[in-house]
Amino acid sequence: MKISAATVLSARDVTKLYGDTPALRGIDFDVAAGRVTALFGENGAGKSTLMRILSGSEHPTSGHVELDGEPVRFASPRDAADQGVSIVHQGLSLCPNLSIQDNLFLAREICGGAWVIDRSSQRATTTAILHSLKEYPDPDLPVGDLMPGEQQIVEIARALLQEARVLIMDEPTSALTAPEIEVLFRVIKELTANGVAVVYVSSHLEEALRIADDVVVLRDGRLVATADAESVSVRWLLERMTDRDRDDLFPHHAPVSGQEVLSLRGLVVADPANPGRLAIDDLSLTVREGEIVGIYGLTGAGRTELLEALAGLIPSQSGEILLCGVPLEHAGIRDRIAQGVALVPENRWRDGLVPTMSVGENLSLARLGTFVHRLFFSRARERKVVDRMITDIDVGWEDTRAPVASLSGGDQQKVIIGRALLTAPRVLLLDEPSRGVGTDARAEIFELLAAHAERGLAVVFSTSDAEEALRVPDRLLVLARGVLAGEFRRGETAREELMRVADGTTVGTGEETAE
């Protein structure tokens, strides 16, 4: 890639080794002012390593970074930010107990005198930056009270306060709702219109192509393709990212005709954030052994609330939840797990993983009691169970003592699924199981679920991905504002009909809408 007049940040022949293992191999990468450069690649392709090098968190083993065509060596992320290169990580780095203005000026306070912070100037500057992004929250509002999309905007505002010329965004939509994604895209377009260069790293291919100007693909640590975003398709990306055919990205699962294992009768669940609103309204459904059931819906449809009510995280107002005929409404979380209901939460960092623990320790948490005999903890028994599960879920890391934070997003998700499977569930609930993972990892996760379904496990998962909803489950339930708006067997409907039903404008069943 040649340096153009608009190129702001570049990697030149960058190689990064961890021991003898190459993470990057001779990468040449350019970022242009006023354009969105979308970076694609599977887990392990080298995306995160390249972003850490560009933002000053790491240094290349060989090669160098250039800023405005001149070699530069960032001493730290703070040094990079001071020179105009900022990064917004997937896991936001905000302090939830501090206000918006305090987060923006943390370690960069405006002082009006000796040891005195000029809060009035900070507030005015915060308001001006937020208004430039067409956002109008109170600068004194605690960040913890904001929605995920609003927190993402605060991260961007902090980068702009540091006069960012290059903004690197790592999986920026992984925790956002559809309306919040639209707000983020509007902000990105305004930034690029003002000359800011954006590096956009995402595993959501169609979504990223909407916002991208330039496309770069990494595979196995090498840069394998570049193109103008308007000239490429999802299929083009997949062909260069992975050896998989698009049809192989989802498992070919033959549903097992088993006994009814889960039954809901007239379930009503209030919205935890707004008790006056019903998240689930008079829902009845059944799930059988060996069946994979998908729950699809737009923002506010009640997908997460349904799964959390089934797992016992939030109470139901009325109705019945039956597991193999046994009522669960008054059972707590621990009792439901013991009876065979396990949940894989949507937010793996907040609700699923213990980041300070190893891969093995995160897995074995599900069965700690079984490793104790006469007050002694059996490491050998724990290791045997963990090793067997590591093989089953195919985590690409042999050392179970490694920190779970060192795994890719896809392998971290497999660890959480593996821990749930160690409870020997009858019903496995998964909330957005493919969110924030690469294409290959997504395929592997659904292959894992299909394999366990063939052994009789009932799988219920929620998704906001239309293609996933249409191609993975044996049976798809569509929620619209807490009501069951449609039910389809695999292959019985198309994307357009699915979106109409999810929007609540029509109510359908497979028989009514099959094409």
Side-chain angles (χ1 to χ4, degrees), residues 175-509:
L176 304 189
T177 62
E180 289 172 333
I181 291 171
E182 295 306 317
V183 172
L184 176 65
F185 281 7
R186 173 184 57 76
V187 170
I188 290 174
K189 289 177 180 177
E190 291 174 359
L191 292 176
T192 53
N194 289 319
V196 176
V198 174
V199 181
Y200 189 98
V201 183
S202 179
S203 57
H204 296 276
L205 309 186
E206 289 186 75
E207 178 184 282
L209 284 178
R210 285 179 50 207
I211 195 67
D213 297 303
D214 303 307
V215 167
V216 177
V217 181
L218 298 185
R219 186 173 68 214
D220 298 327
R222 293 186 173 90
L223 193 153
V224 296
T226 62
D228 187 289
E230 291 184 352
S231 67
V232 306
S233 64
V234 171
R235 180 176 292 276
W236 184 93
L237 288 172
L238 288 171
E239 288 174 351
R240 285 149 183 82
M241 288 168 56
T242 175
D243 293 333
R244 288 179 181 267
D245 183 86
R246 187 176 180 83
D247 292 335
D248 293 333
L249 295 177
F250 303 102
H252 302 282
H253 172 246
V256 178
S257 181
Q259 296 180 348
E260 183 179 299
V261 60
L262 179 67
S263 178
L264 309 185
R265 298 174 183 172
L267 185 67
V268 176
V269 180
D271 183 347
N274 181 10
R277 170 188 172 273
L278 294 182
I280 298 296
D281 187 3
D282 193 26
L283 179 64
S284 297
L285 62 90
T286 59
V287 181
R288 295 185 174 276
E289 293 176 338
E291 187 178 27
I292 299 179
V293 175
I295 308 292
Y296 179 80
L298 305 179
T299 302
R303 293 175 286 115
T304 294
E305 292 84 354
L306 171 59
L307 297 186
E308 291 185 346
L310 295 179
L313 271 69
I314 59 176
S316 56
Q317 283 192 345
S318 60
E320 291 183 300
I321 303 173
L322 304 172
L323 181 68
C324 300
V326 178
L328 291 182
E329 303 92 75
H330 303 297
I333 298 172
R334 183 189 296 254
D335 291 335
R336 297 193 193 200
I337 292 174
Q339 293 183 59
V341 178
L343 172 67
V344 174
E346 177 182 5
N347 190 322
R348 61 176 172 268
W349 274 105
R350 185 188 67 196
D351 304 321
L353 295 170
V354 182
T356 55
M357 287 186 172
S358 69
V359 174
E361 289 168 335
N362 269 275
L363 274 169
S364 66
L365 282 174
R367 291 184 56 182
L368 284 180
T370 65
F371 306 135
V372 178
H373 181 64
R374 294 180 180 177
L375 302 182
F376 292 96
F377 189 87
S378 174
R379 289 291 180 189
R381 189 180 302 173
E382 178 194 29
R383 189 162 50 250
K384 182 178 180 180
V385 170
V386 167
D387 288 347
R388 185 169 63 246
M389 183 52 67
I390 286 286
T391 300
D392 186 20
I393 63 179
D394 192 25
V395 171
W397 201 280
E398 294 182 359
D399 187 0
T400 60
R401 296 169 300 178
V404 74
S406 66
L407 300 185
S408 66
D411 281 339
Q412 289 172 357
Q413 188 74 325
K414 290 180 191 177
V415 169
I416 302 173
I417 294 172
R419 186 172 64 208
L421 291 173
L422 280 176
T423 66
R426 304 289 301 275
V427 179
L428 181 61
L429 311 171
L430 305 101
D431 195 359
E432 295 277 9
S434 68
R435 174 162 286 180
V437 306
T439 309
D440 258 1
R442 175 169 69 164
E444 291 165 1
I445 286 170
F446 284 120
E447 286 169 359
L448 173 65
L449 297 179
H452 279 272
E454 289 171 5
R455 302 173 200 168
L457 177 66
V459 176
V460 181
F461 77 96
S462 77
T463 180
S464 56
D465 186 298
E467 183 177 29
E468 198 171 275
L470 291 169
R471 303 186 69 167
V472 174
D474 307 315
R475 185 159 53 100
L476 178 65
L477 308 177
V478 184
L479 296 182
R481 293 182 288 278
V483 176
L484 182 60
E487 181 173 340
F488 306 96
R489 293 283 175 181
R490 189 189 300 127
E492 286 185 339
T493 190
R495 180 188 292 258
E496 293 75 14
E497 176 64 15
L498 175 64
M499 299 307 296
R500 284 196 296 270
V501 174
D503 190 43
T505 56
T506 64
V507 177
T509 64

